[in-house]
């Protein structure tokens, strides 16, 4: 099951943390400087957002990264 079939979703809290979910379950909470940087990069392109969120979860190296870029 890939990112297209089961995409990540995210929510930014009032205190600036990013809550990353997939399949309705919270996967990771990103805070601090990492969250600020992530928020600044999100929202321009859905495919890029999915890649950024996958990287934020730490599961990026498990076959869901893009090849040949």
């Amino acid at each position: 099951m890939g990112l297209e079939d089961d995409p990540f979703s995210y929510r930014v809290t009032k205190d600036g943390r990013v809550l990353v979910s997939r399949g309705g379950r919270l996967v990771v909470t990103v805070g601090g400087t990492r969250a600020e940087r992530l928020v600044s990069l999100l929202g321009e392109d859905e495919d890029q957002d999915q890649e950024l969120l996958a990287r934020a979860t730490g599961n990026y190296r498990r076959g869901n990264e893009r090849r040949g870029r």
Side-chain angles (χ1 to χ4, degrees), residues 6-40:
D6 187 20
F8 288 99
S9 61
Y10 69 95
R11 184 169 65 92
V12 181
T13 64
K14 288 181 182 180
D15 63 359
R17 291 179 297 146
V18 180
L19 307 176
V20 181
S21 302
R22 189 170 187 193
R25 299 179 78 174
L26 180 64
V27 178
V28 71
T29 301
V30 181
T33 307
R34 267 186 79 206
E36 289 175 18
R37 182 162 164 31
L38 182 59
V39 169
S40 73

Side-chain angles (χ1 to χ4, degrees), residues 43-55:
E44 292 188 27
D45 176 63
E46 182 63 28
D47 289 336
Q48 178 182 338
D49 288 355
Q50 290 299 308
E51 187 173 318
L52 291 167
L53 294 168
R55 287 180 184 211

Side-chain angles (χ1 to χ4, degrees), residues 1-6 22 64:
M1 188 176 280
L3 291 176
E4 291 177 9
D5 298 332
D6 187 20
R22 189 170 187 193
N64 58 358

